[in-house]
C-alpha cells in the first residue's frame, strides 16, 4: 500500500510536469544532419521540439546505464565466483557433518 502511495506521489506530479513540458514545446523544429547544406531535406528531420528532447534524455539514460553495467561487470563476476565457491564449501561441510554423525553413531555408548 505504501509503495502505491509513494508511486502516486512521485509519478503523478512527474506525469503532469511532462504533459506541461510537451504542450509548452510543441513547436516544429528541423534537425539537420548535413552541416554543409542545412536546407537539404534528405538529411533533415522535422518534429516537435519535445520529441528531440525526449530522445536525448532517453538515449542519455541508456548510454549511462550501459556504461554502469559494463563498469560493474567485474563485481558481478566476483559475486558469481564466490557464490559457486560458497555452494561448494556448503556441500563439503554437509559431507563432513554426515560423516561425523556416522562416526558418532558407531561409537559404543558408555
Amino acid at each position: 500500500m505504501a509503495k502505491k502511495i509513494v508511486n502516486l506521489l512521485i509519478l503523478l506530479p512527474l506525469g503532469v510536469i511532462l504533459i506541461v513540458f510537451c504542450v509548452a514545446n510543441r513547436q516544429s523544429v528541423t534537425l539537420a544532419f548535413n552541416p554543409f547544406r542545412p536546407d537539404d531535406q534528405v538529411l533533415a528531420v522535422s518534429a516537435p521540439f519535445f520529441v528531440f528532447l525526449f530522445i536525448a534524455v532517453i538515449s542519455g539514460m541508456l548510454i549511462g546505464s550501459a556504461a554502469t553495467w559494463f563498469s560493474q561487470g567485474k563485481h558481478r563476476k566476483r559475486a558469481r565466483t564466490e557464490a559457486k565457491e560458497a555452494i561448494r564449501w556448503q556441500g563439503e561441510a554437509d559431507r563432513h557433518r554426515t560423516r561425523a554423525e556416522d562416526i558418532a553413531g558407531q561409537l559404543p555408548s558408555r
Side-chain angles (χ1 to χ4, degrees), residues 6-91:
V6 170
N7 282 341
L8 188 64
L9 289 175
I10 292 173
L11 294 178
L12 186 66
L14 184 62
V16 170
I17 290 170
L18 287 176
I19 290 170
V20 170
F21 181 76
C22 291
V23 169
N25 293 294
R26 66 180 186 266
Q27 301 89 341
S28 183
V29 294
T30 302
L31 177 65
F33 292 106
N34 187 353
F36 302 110
R37 288 185 43 202
D39 57 338
D40 185 10
Q41 293 299 318
V42 175
L43 294 174
V45 177
S46 292
F49 185 59
F50 71 88
V51 171
F52 294 120
L53 291 175
F54 281 165
I55 290 172
V57 168
I58 290 170
S59 62
M61 289 172 52
L62 291 174
I63 291 169
S65 62
T68 301
W69 189 75
F70 282 121
S71 69
Q72 293 177 351
K74 60 184 175 187
H75 301 294
R76 287 192 307 277
K77 182 178 180 181
R78 182 174 168 213
R80 282 191 305 270
T81 303
E82 289 181 0
K84 289 178 185 176
E85 188 175 338
I87 290 170
R88 185 175 61 86
W89 283 108
Q90 184 65 39

Side-chain angles (χ1 to χ4, degrees), residues 93-107:
D94 290 340
R95 284 193 302 276
H96 285 299
R97 186 178 303 115
T98 303
R99 186 161 185 259
E101 289 171 355
D102 291 344
I103 292 172
Q106 292 175 355
L107 291 177

